[in-house]
Amino acid sequence: TLRLRVAPIDGGGRVEGAVGLVEDITEQRRVEQMRRDFVANVSHELRTPLTSLRGFLQAIREGVVTDPREIGRYLGVMHGETMRLIRLVNSLLDLSRIEGGQVQLHRQALALAPVVEDVLVSMHPRMEENALRVETDIPQDLPAVWADRDRLDQILINLLENAVRYAGREGQVRVAARSLGDAVVVAVEDTGPGIPAEELPYVWDRFYKVDKARTADGSGTGLGLVIVRQLVELHGGRAWAESQPGQGSRFFFSLPQAQGQEETGPVSA
Ligand code: ADP
């Protein structure tokens, strides 16, 4: 869409001519639309748990439920909804910091295997609870990556949380890594329901959820993968996914290899 702006040149009461300015407002409109969509989505995502909290609170306050056990159950749900709100707000803050260029990477040469190991240990209880099998395939001689430790943790946690959530009970999760050119490519795979091809590109969009009903615990924020991609790209890498419905999903990301930097404490990026 092109817009023509015309301003008359005033010659003392007489219009002597006009200057025109042609501008492309398609991009401007698109950005405005995206901002509106984003605000609408955030509002919706915040309102859902809040509405549920209000309902449960009301039921307790008005004495609709009196059985202590029932009240206990309600409080459990309310706790879950509160945690979800906290996660959502934290993710929104993360995203805004990353997009505002406020995240500085403190890169160091990192061996991937121990980082993956630590993240898996932190998730062990949840995996155990779901009787998940976990496998890692990281070659001993894999080159170190040039990455920010905390951000790499966050990338892995977001991908592994999805893998665990979608793999379902007794599923399998696998983390593999390979050297490719001057990068290291990491794959996080699960044996979950997979993602239909036509939906696959959109999982990287804010608040996109393939099937709202499927995230049984409703714990998703729809922001995890957005943050993964932004953090990976901040490192100069790429993030992508492959999936076939019924065959599980594979999420990949690449990171630059460390080039001769010592595998030591943090050094400036
Ligand atoms: P969420 O917090 O909802 O998981 P994400 O940004 O992490 O948000 O993921 C966006 C959507 O992509 C999810 O809601 C889900 O529909 C889909 N998705 C992500 N990871 C997987 C996976 N491992 N298996 C199947 N679907 C997935």
Side-chain angles (χ1 to χ4, degrees):
T1 311
L2 297 178
R3 177 162 66 191
L4 179 64
R5 277 197 197 169
V6 184
I9 301 169
D10 196 330
R14 231 157 28 93
V15 175
E16 290 190 328
V19 282
L21 174 68
V22 179
E23 52 181 358
D24 183 355
I25 58 170
T26 318
E27 176 61 14
Q28 211 171 311
R29 281 235 179 96
R30 207 179 60 84
V31 171
E32 275 166 26
Q33 185 60 44
M34 273 173 60
R35 188 174 307 142
R36 269 199 300 272
D37 288 350
F38 183 67
V39 171
N41 280 327
V42 170
S43 311
H44 174 79
E45 294 292 325
L46 291 172
R47 194 174 55 184
T48 308
L50 283 170
T51 306
S52 142
L53 278 171
R54 186 183 58 186
F56 284 110
L57 267 176
Q58 221 163 20
I60 295 172
R61 202 164 77 128
E62 292 172 0
V64 179
V65 281
T66 47
D67 176 10
R69 267 209 321 240
E70 190 75 345
I71 290 177
R73 204 175 60 79
Y74 276 35
L75 289 176
V77 177
M78 289 165 66
H79 181 255
E81 293 294 332
T82 309
M83 295 307 288
R84 178 164 147 205
L85 278 170
I86 291 173
R87 265 200 307 275
L88 181 60
V89 171
N90 283 338
S91 295
L92 283 167
L93 284 174
D94 270 348
L95 203 60
S96 130
R97 280 201 209 101
I98 298 168
E99 291 186 334
Q102 286 162 281
V103 169
Q104 282 213 325
L105 295 181
H106 301 288
R107 298 207 204 203
Q108 50 183 323
L110 287 171
L112 190 71
V115 177
V116 169
E117 223 33 68
D118 283 358
V119 171
L120 286 175
V121 165
S122 75
M123 300 183 70
H124 188 74
R126 214 161 346 138
M127 293 184 169
E128 186 126 277
E129 206 176 297
N130 290 299
L132 283 179
R133 271 177 304 148
V134 189
E135 194 184 295
T136 54
D137 174 7
I138 301 174
Q140 287 243 301
D141 61 352
L142 187 77
V145 293
W146 184 235
D148 181 311
R149 170 74 206 245
D150 291 340
R151 300 306 173 176
L152 177 54
D153 278 354
Q154 201 177 351
I155 292 165
L156 286 165
I157 288 171
N158 286 6
L159 291 178
L160 279 164
E161 279 186 342
N162 282 347
V164 168
R165 184 181 309 145
Y166 294 101
R169 273 198 74 76
E170 297 181 359
Q172 195 171 331
V173 172
R174 183 166 175 271
V175 183
R178 292 289 179 270
S179 161
L180 188 76
D182 52 9
V184 164
V185 176
V186 184
V188 177
E189 314 174 0
D190 66 70
T191 52
I195 302 162
E198 65 275 17
E199 309 254 20
L200 202 53
Y202 303 109
V203 298
W204 304 95
D205 290 354
R206 291 175 171 77
F207 300 118
Y208 191 81
K209 291 167 194 169
V210 173
D211 179 357
K212 284 181 203 286
R214 198 160 67 201
T215 50
D217 53 359
S219 63
T221 60
L223 293 173
L225 291 177
V226 186
I227 291 174
V228 165
R229 185 169 260 180
Q230 302 251 13
L231 287 177
V232 167
E233 288 179 355
L234 207 57
H235 279 86
R238 283 203 320 121
W240 69 101
E242 288 174 1
S243 180
Q244 304 250 308
Q247 309 268 307
S249 311
R250 288 202 281 175
F251 284 84
F252 299 91
F253 66 91
S254 63
L255 289 173
Q257 288 178 16
Q259 307 286 349
Q261 295 98 349
E262 291 279 315
E263 255 180 64
T264 52
V267 279
S268 56

